[in-house]
Amino acid sequence: MPLTGLFHIAIKTADLAATTRFYCDVLGLRVVKRPDFGYPGAWLALPTPGGDAIVHIYAGGPALGPEGHVPSGTGAIDHVSIAAIGFHDLRARFERFGLPYREFLVPGTTLWQLFVYDPSGVQLELTFEGAAEVGRTPDMSPGRGYVAGASFFDPDAYVGFGDKNQL
């Protein structure tokens, strides 16, 4: 029985509005119908060649850890990788929203990458086929180039992010 693809990922958040806005306004996902599970959340569609994958966002009681607060970060998962097109456009969105990001050129390949965090501290790797991109290659200079294992998450970058009037 072969695996056929990633169906969804689920992300816990303390700020549903900011997290939904990040995935929709910054990354371009769209809100789709979500069943009423009895707690706050959103389903966000990520288009893929085989059909939409869904990012499940949930808040409220089910998002709380045993200590009574929503955990942050990626835990044992270092990052979630998403295939993308439009490297320079996406980088410009990160800059427009004031989000920290890092760039990377995968050695020995034509793959370009952008790394960014969502408001809950989940690290995302956006991977592009560099041969299909126009413009300069990723900036690997100190402070801009991605370094595996080195966090650059800045929760202050997302303060007020869920309120469109504050940006």
Side-chain angles (χ1 to χ4, degrees):
M1 181 181 329
L3 303 179
T4 60
L6 180 65
F7 190 67
H8 75 263
I9 62 171
I11 299 172
K12 298 175 179 183
T13 185
D15 190 335
L16 181 60
T19 302
T20 300
R21 181 163 192 229
F22 170 82
Y23 281 97
C24 292
D25 291 1
V26 178
L27 296 185
L29 278 65
R30 71 184 189 290
V31 175
V32 295
K33 184 175 169 132
R34 174 184 179 265
D36 182 359
F37 291 107
Y39 56 87
W43 281 11
L44 311 174
L46 169 67
T48 70
D52 289 344
I54 305 294
V55 176
H56 292 189
I57 308 296
Y58 60 101
L64 300 177
E67 296 82 28
H69 61 82
V70 177
S72 65
T74 53
I77 296 173
D78 184 71
H79 62 268
V80 174
S81 182
I82 301 171
I85 57 173
F87 179 91
H88 298 287
D89 291 338
L90 200 48
R91 189 185 64 218
R93 281 190 197 180
F94 296 162
E95 291 173 354
R96 187 176 82 235
F97 283 97
L99 301 176
Y101 66 92
R102 297 292 182 267
E103 304 180 30
F104 195 70
L105 179 60
V106 180
T109 76
T110 57
L111 298 178
W112 298 5
Q113 296 175 323
L114 287 171
F115 289 81
V116 67
Y117 289 89
D118 80 358
S120 297
V122 175
Q123 184 175 217
L124 303 172
E125 170 193 283
L126 306 166
T127 301
F128 306 78
E129 174 47 64
E133 296 292 329
V134 178
R136 69 160 181 81
T137 60
D139 180 354
M140 299 288 290
S141 64
R144 179 54 55 211
Y146 173 74
V147 176
S151 176
F152 58 94
F153 179 54
D154 178 7
D156 291 339
Y158 301 91
V159 171
F161 199 79
D163 181 359
K164 290 187 178 193
N165 296 325
Q166 291 188 15
L167 293 179

